Amino acid sequence: MSDRKIQHNVYFEGNVQSLGLDTERGKATVGVMKPGSYIFSASVPETMLVIAGTLSVKNGDTFTSYGPQEQFEVSAGASFEVVCESDAAYICYYG
């Protein structure tokens, strides 16, 4: 059992929140988003898996939508824009 406490992260005035945890794949966060447009920065490679709702992610000049059980990759050092039309949930794996 880990001695590490659950980390609560709050972004964009509370519209995006996540809880940090250790998984069999390594460090991860499970989060929720309220409707809005958000720009995130990735310091390490990330894999975002949508659990509920739809997230539209900007790739170059176009947006690609990801629904439940779909995932997308983010490179280390990259910034990415996410548009959320309705409440959504996700898990993000780091590394």
Side-chain angles (χ1 to χ4, degrees):
M1 193 138 90
S2 174
D3 291 336
R4 196 173 82 120
K5 294 185 179 200
I6 295 173
Q7 181 180 358
H8 181 206
N9 305 298
V10 179
Y11 307 99
F12 304 103
E13 299 176 344
N15 289 317
V16 179
Q17 298 187 34
S18 66
L19 299 175
L21 67 153
D22 293 312
T23 71
E24 65 280 352
R25 288 178 58 174
K27 293 188 185 299
T29 55
V30 175
V32 293
M33 283 186 204
K34 298 300 279 179
S37 178
Y38 309 102
I39 296 176
F40 297 93
S41 296
S43 58
V44 298
E46 298 180 10
T47 300
M48 299 264 308
L49 172 67
V50 178
I51 298 169
T54 301
L55 300 179
S56 295
V57 181
K58 191 170 187 180
N59 299 313
D61 292 332
T62 62
F63 282 88
T64 302
S65 293
Y66 299 90
Q69 302 307 310
E70 294 182 319
Q71 66 183 29
F72 59 93
E73 308 286 327
V74 180
S75 301
S79 291
F80 59 104
E81 182 177 355
V82 175
V83 175
C84 180
E85 297 288 336
S86 61
D87 288 357
Y90 63 89
I91 186 166
C92 181
Y93 296 101
Y94 300 94

